[in-house]
Amino acid sequence: MKQINIKLLLGCSALMLAGQSCTDLTETTYDVIPTSGTFGSTPAQASALIGPLYNGLGDYYGNMSNLNTTTDEQIVPTRGGDWKDGDNWKRLYQHTWDPITDNGQFNGPWTWCYNNITSINQQLGTITDANTKAELRALRAFFHYQAMDLFGNVIISDAVTAATPKQNTRAEVFAFVEKELLAVYPSLSDVSGGAYYGRMNKYVADMILAKMYLNAQVYTGTPRWADCITRCDNLIKSGKFQISGDYLSNFSVQNQNSPETILATPFDKSKRDGFNHQMKTLHYLNQLTYNLGTAPWNGWATVTEFYNSFDDKDIRKKQWIVGQQYKADGTPLKDDALDMVYRPEIESFTFDAGANGRLAGARSQKYEIQKNNSFTSQDNDFVVYRLADVYMMRGEANFRLGNVGAALPDFNVVRKRAGMPDYTSATLTLNEILAERGRELAWEQHRRQDLIRFGQYTKAWRFKEASQPFRQLFPIPKDQLSLNPNLKQNPGY
């Protein structure tokens, strides 16, 4: 009979981890096709089945990074004809996106969530190992949480069915995700790193719940600050994670051993590609700075006011590239007749063709740029959740409950690492909490959530007028409305 070759990763259960983080592979050959329905009953067999499901988690960066352009920290100016793209970046940034014209921007994240949910449901019917089933239910809850956060009233899909799924309220999806995570929590692993790097475990479940409780008032109308504190306490008191002494080490090319990471999605420039941060942000001529195999695309920059929110003494300001650029040998670069100097100031959303527009805006080097790289992807793992966020979530929740004394040390843990003075009861305010979260978590895909929670997402900022409150949710993609008559479009669209 036909043989089935299934790759099992030693020290990792997900095929997506076959990068710099975990490269040993052992092949197990099954000489018959399993027909008894019991394949997946052992941990080894279960690992083979769930590997591709974690590959789907690896698409988090690709799906969320574009949507970060709807915030005040990321901008994609039109530079001559470059990045014009039918003005879709402009519409995202200015909150004037159209559910028809921009359907692709939203259908991608929707299908990412529900294709993965469907795949998980299919495997849950095969796997019998209780711990693996718990892990997959947690992963399924993560995708439901993402869909709820982006689109509001979405679908709860907890089984394979031929019936047309109904649309649930945001509050119902919130309750489903919470119930699922609490139900599987006792069966989730308490191992962090190693075999559970990039996988669902108790700590990732705590993090998802903390995030949900932090934003519960937005999702359900009822604040859950105390519950957020409880989940943050679990993470901090576990002793499994520590604040890294070097802020930027969390994002280095070889960042898989960061003590701060709670969940990352592993990448490898050749085996699991897709992390192309450097291509999106660097100028074409920076190919010569880092000896890259391909010229970058000169697109993404940070908004001028966001860059200026960093004190010059703030270590985190080093995540931005400004000033004169050089070749690898130290020779100053020029763009046409201009010295190739990145300036933080972005004077217009749309520039005429030429070097002036090409050099506008500070660029990101938060994720270390991999030198001598012939690929368009890099080896850095993308950090989804890390401990600094936990401290700031707990601090914010305590602050909102009126316990400023408990909030201060949590924020000052983060401030100390940044080389900044401690907050006091006089200097720690809600506005300052939002600003500090921005400085710490820039371009980590948390900004939209934060701005909405603080009531700032629809406010005016550079090149953007105030937008309507309904823009806090993205439109249900028209493709999905056509496929499922039970879906109703979000108000305003």
Side-chain angles (χ1 to χ4, degrees), residues 76-340:
V76 188
T78 302
R79 308 173 190 272
D82 293 342
W83 295 90
K84 175 72 170 174
D85 296 340
D87 283 335
N88 68 306
W89 299 107
K90 187 175 185 178
R91 288 192 297 275
L92 282 178
Y93 181 81
Q94 295 183 341
H95 292 196
T96 58
W97 55 77
D98 179 79
I100 306 299
T101 305
D102 299 306
N103 174 70
Q105 291 283 9
F106 310 116
N107 197 48
W110 178 286
T111 56
W112 168 65
C113 289
Y114 283 101
N115 285 351
N116 281 287
I117 288 169
T118 298
S119 296
I120 292 168
N121 285 337
Q122 290 169 341
Q123 291 292 19
L124 279 170
T126 302
I127 293 170
T128 59
D129 178 72
N131 299 108
T132 305
K133 289 178 78 73
E135 185 177 345
L136 287 185
R137 286 173 65 185
L139 183 59
R140 185 179 64 184
F142 172 84
F143 286 114
H144 278 92
Y145 159 61
Q146 296 299 329
M148 173 196 70
D149 179 69
L150 297 174
F151 301 104
N153 300 335
V154 294
I155 295 166
I156 294 174
S157 177
D158 59 358
V160 176
T161 176
T164 302
K166 71 173 186 176
Q167 187 174 25
N168 299 91
T169 67
R170 203 179 204 185
E172 288 172 338
V173 183
F174 180 100
F176 169 77
V177 175
E178 179 185 29
K179 182 179 179 181
E180 281 287 285
L181 290 174
L182 294 177
V184 303
Y185 191 87
S187 299
L188 293 174
S189 175
D190 59 3
V191 175
S192 65
Y196 277 86
Y197 181 77
R199 289 171 58 180
M200 296 291 117
N201 53 25
K202 280 184 168 64
Y203 313 109
V204 178
D206 276 321
M207 192 71 184
I208 299 169
L209 287 167
K211 284 283 186 185
M212 287 177 51
Y213 295 144
L214 186 71
N215 295 283
Q217 191 164 17
V218 173
Y219 297 147
T220 70
T222 302
R224 301 279 295 272
W225 308 118
D227 291 325
C228 176
I229 292 169
T230 297
R231 292 296 156 178
C232 292
D233 282 345
N234 287 351
L235 286 159
I236 293 169
K237 294 177 181 179
S238 72
K240 298 286 187 177
F241 311 97
Q242 292 82 41
I243 294 291
S244 174
D246 178 2
Y247 173 74
L248 289 175
S249 69
N250 292 303
F251 317 102
S252 65
V253 172
Q254 299 296 333
N255 64 339
Q256 64 270 16
N257 294 317
S258 169
E260 195 168 325
T261 299
I262 297 167
L263 176 66
T265 57
F267 285 97
D268 180 279
K269 62 180 179 290
S270 61
K271 298 175 184 176
R272 205 305 176 193
D273 62 2
F275 185 72
N276 55 3
H277 193 76
Q278 84 289 1
M279 300 300 291
K280 295 174 179 176
T281 189
L282 293 178
H283 187 287
Y284 319 109
L285 292 175
N286 279 134
Q287 179 181 14
L288 304 175
T289 306
Y290 302 99
N291 192 26
L292 304 178
T294 305
W297 307 328
N298 197 39
W300 298 3
T302 197
V303 180
T304 304
E305 287 77 13
F306 191 79
Y307 173 83
N308 290 337
S309 73
F310 290 77
D311 189 281
D312 287 342
K313 296 178 182 178
D314 193 328
I315 290 169
R316 297 167 300 192
K317 198 169 188 176
K318 295 178 181 178
Q319 68 186 284
W320 307 113
I321 307 175
V322 295
Q324 177 67 53
Q325 300 299 291
Y326 301 87
K327 295 181 181 179
D329 64 4
T331 304
L333 284 167
K334 283 184 173 291
D335 184 346
D336 291 341
L338 294 181
D339 291 333
M340 188 177 158

Side-chain angles (χ1 to χ4, degrees), residues 277 281-282 319-321 362-367 369 443:
H277 193 76
T281 189
L282 293 178
Q319 68 186 284
W320 307 113
I321 307 175
R363 312 306 168 88
S364 175
Q365 60 179 353
K366 183 170 193 168
Y367 279 86
I369 297 163
W443 287 31

Side-chain angles (χ1 to χ4, degrees), residues 460-471:
W461 55 69
R462 177 172 290 228
F463 313 131
K464 172 192 173 293
E465 297 178 356
S467 49
Q468 304 97 322
F470 73 82
R471 297 283 178 177

